[in-house]
Amino acid sequence: MKFDWTKTGHRMHKQGMALGTLLASTLLAIHPAQAGSVSRIEASGSKITISFDDLVEGASAFSLLGPDRIAIDVQGGKAGQGGYAAGIVKAVRQGQYDPNTARIVFDLDRPAVITEGRFSADGKSLQLNLQPVGQGQIANGRQSFLPPMNFRAEPPRKSYSVKMPLGKPRDSVNLPKIYGPSDTSRPLVVIDAGHGGHDPGTVSPHGGKYEKNVVLALARAIRDRLVAGGRVRVALTRDSDEFLVLEERYGIARRLNADLFISLHADAAGNEDASGATVYTLSEVASDREAAKLAARENKANIINGINLGGATRDVSSILIDLTQRETMNVSADFAKLLHREGSRQMAFRKIPHRFASFVVLKAPDTPSVLFEAGYLTNKDDVAFLNSGDGRSRVATGVASAIESHFARKLAMR
Ligand code: ZN
């Protein structure tokens, strides 16, 4: 299915980002001049109508997967409360994203895209048409909608526009290839190489190695080792230099119904002596200040120039840890111990090898997940180890045997 967002005539209601384009252009507002409040949101069937009590500058939309959502940012808008959900929309939430932007999030009962968005002639309501699509057809990027010129709120006095690359262009967020046995009853592990595209992660002071490349090479080595073992199925969230927001990473694991999710990273410290690997699992309360700082740094992958590409991070972090998630957290912690046990036969770990913090990428409520910091890119020896064939194969052996033991143990407990 093709949607006609790529044609931009003059004075179109839809401008800006086209499907799968390389650039996102973002207006950063400094002083809101005037603002219309969101007075009513109504969803019915595949239509959504957002009404304002005064003029707004414009709106833009982007999609999020797993759970499926569409977020609308209203520039020059003040958030109201709630909204009426029906049809494809399960729930409506709204909040003030920044002083000049109201954000409205629609929880969907299936993946959908906006096929048309149009402001009314008086600029005081925005109507959106939704259409359900396959998950692979959800595109990255924003769609923009502008009210007619005469009925547009004065833009903020000071505003500027920035353009930045959002990783490689892609037409859709496709589910990755699954490697290993074709028997779908075999457990599936998703390996997530952190960062990518415009986000290099940590840059090593020793030889300028990028974290995004180091961890991708490790992810591939682990995949190959698991495929050779023939016991489990494996998929990578990314197998190239592309950028994914954190929610997309665990979203892929959830959509594939994965049994285990491992996010791979390499650490940085001001003290170049710091070395060794650490396994992190999710906790709302960080085990120490350093773990909290690391989580804050890794969670920043979603934020560029103040714009949170992950969108719903604040919602996600406020999800109460329910019983399912508690169970998931226990399994994750068991796996973390196993990863230390098997991994330390191959490589060095830190004194406290298992720590806790609030990493967005670990927030899938139903997929046991760990974040593995394989070593320090600020440490000379770690850099040499992680970038050597021998080092990679040791990491791969350690991680793969932890994965295989984990599933063997689960099988034995059945
Ligand atoms: Zn990282």
Side-chain angles (χ1 to χ4, degrees):
M1 200 178 304
K2 253 186 144 182
F3 299 110
D4 196 21
W5 296 341
T6 43
K7 282 186 198 152
T8 40
H10 65 288
R11 300 293 317 282
M12 293 272 294
H13 292 289
K14 309 164 254 181
Q15 292 182 342
M17 282 286 310
L19 266 177
T21 53
L22 183 65
L23 298 174
S25 78
T26 311
L27 276 174
L28 296 185
I30 310 299
H31 302 295
Q34 57 184 123
S37 295
V38 177
S39 54
R40 187 179 170 86
I41 301 172
E42 207 165 355
S44 77
S46 60
K47 282 197 185 356
I48 293 174
T49 308
I50 304 169
S51 307
F52 310 100
D53 67 358
D54 205 343
L55 300 177
V56 298
E57 291 158 37
S60 64
F62 59 95
S63 296
L64 294 155
L65 294 167
D68 302 306
R69 283 157 294 166
I70 285 179
I72 311 285
D73 282 346
V74 181
Q75 283 85 39
K78 292 277 171 230
Q81 272 175 356
Y84 297 94
I88 202 169
V89 176
K90 281 193 306 192
V92 185
R93 288 164 291 152
Q94 50 175 314
Q96 199 64 31
Y97 180 69
D98 66 29
N100 193 50
T101 311
R103 174 166 289 176
I104 306 165
V105 178
F106 297 97
D107 293 324
L108 307 178
D109 71 357
R110 76 203 89 146
V113 295
I114 297 173
T115 52
E116 197 185 6
R118 196 178 285 281
F119 271 92
S120 60
D122 66 358
K124 290 197 182 171
S125 72
L126 170 64
Q127 187 163 90
L128 304 167
N129 287 336
L130 264 56
Q131 178 161 341
V133 292
Q135 281 179 318
Q137 289 165 294
I138 305 289
N140 257 3
R142 278 183 191 250
Q143 292 166 268
S144 297
F145 316 104
L146 290 175
M149 198 58 102
N150 301 343
F151 295 101
R152 208 177 286 173
E154 286 278 305
R157 264 173 292 138
K158 264 190 179 176
S159 71
Y160 58 93
S161 146
V162 287
K163 280 195 171 173
M164 59 195 2
L166 280 189
K168 279 186 162 181
R170 41 185 182 166
D171 292 323
S172 58
V173 182
N174 286 319
L175 284 175
K177 178 176 157 64
I178 297 175
Y179 296 84
S182 54
D183 175 2
T184 55
S185 69
R186 295 295 182 91
L188 172 65
V189 54
V190 169
I191 313 275
D192 169 51
H195 311 278
H198 70 266
D199 171 20
T202 292
V203 179
S204 172
H206 307 289
K209 300 276 187 207
Y210 287 178
E211 180 182 357
K212 66 174 183 178
N213 298 330
V214 174
V215 296
L216 180 57
L218 287 176
R220 287 172 175 156
I222 295 166
R223 174 196 61 196
D224 295 347
R225 168 67 183 69
L226 286 170
V227 170
R231 283 181 228 170
V232 301
R233 296 178 300 142
V234 56
L236 304 185
T237 53
R238 67 176 180 95
D239 195 8
S240 64
D241 186 17
E242 71 178 323
F243 175 75
L244 294 165
V245 297
L246 300 170
E247 287 80 359
E248 280 172 339
R249 297 171 184 271
Y250 70 69
I252 287 171
R254 296 192 74 199
R255 284 158 66 204
L256 289 176
N257 211 3
D259 301 283
L260 187 62
F261 175 82
I262 303 174
S263 189
L264 287 178
H265 290 261
D267 223 330
N271 172 8
E272 294 200 359
D273 291 335
S275 72
T278 324
V279 196
Y280 290 88
T281 55
L282 180 66
S283 161
E284 291 305 321
V285 183
S287 52
D288 52 68
R289 257 187 41 206
E290 191 194 336
K293 269 166 72 184
L294 176 69
R297 209 161 66 223
E298 298 289 13
N299 291 345
K300 266 199 197 135
N302 271 3
I303 299 168
I304 302 178
N305 280 13
I307 304 297
N308 189 343
L309 300 167
T313 303
R314 275 180 292 188
D315 293 326
V316 177
S317 63
S318 67
I319 287 173
L320 288 174
I321 295 174
D322 62 15
L323 290 172
T324 342
Q325 191 150 20
R326 240 174 243 294
E327 169 63 23
T328 307
M329 286 164 78
N330 289 339
V331 177
S332 306
D334 286 346
F335 177 72
K337 287 188 196 108
L338 209 48
L339 182 52
H340 171 238
R341 193 188 80 188
E342 296 298 315
S344 56
R345 294 178 180 158
Q346 307 294 336
M347 60 194 287
F349 276 68
R350 296 173 68 204
K351 267 208 193 80
I352 305 170
H354 177 199
R355 296 172 193 232
F356 305 88
S358 184
F359 291 96
V360 171
V361 78
L362 299 181
K363 293 206 174 189
D366 42 11
T367 315
S369 309
V370 302
L371 186 139
F372 186 47
E373 296 275 352
Y376 282 82
L377 289 187
T378 40
N379 180 272
K380 237 183 186 151
D381 296 336
D382 279 9
V383 173
F385 176 77
L386 294 174
N387 285 292
S388 67
D390 178 53
R392 265 196 296 275
S393 114
R394 281 172 164 275
V395 174
T397 302
V399 175
S401 62
I403 292 168
E404 285 166 351
S405 313
H406 171 74
F407 289 121
R409 192 188 269 179
K410 279 186 77 180
L411 208 64
M413 280 179 355
R414 257 192 224 158

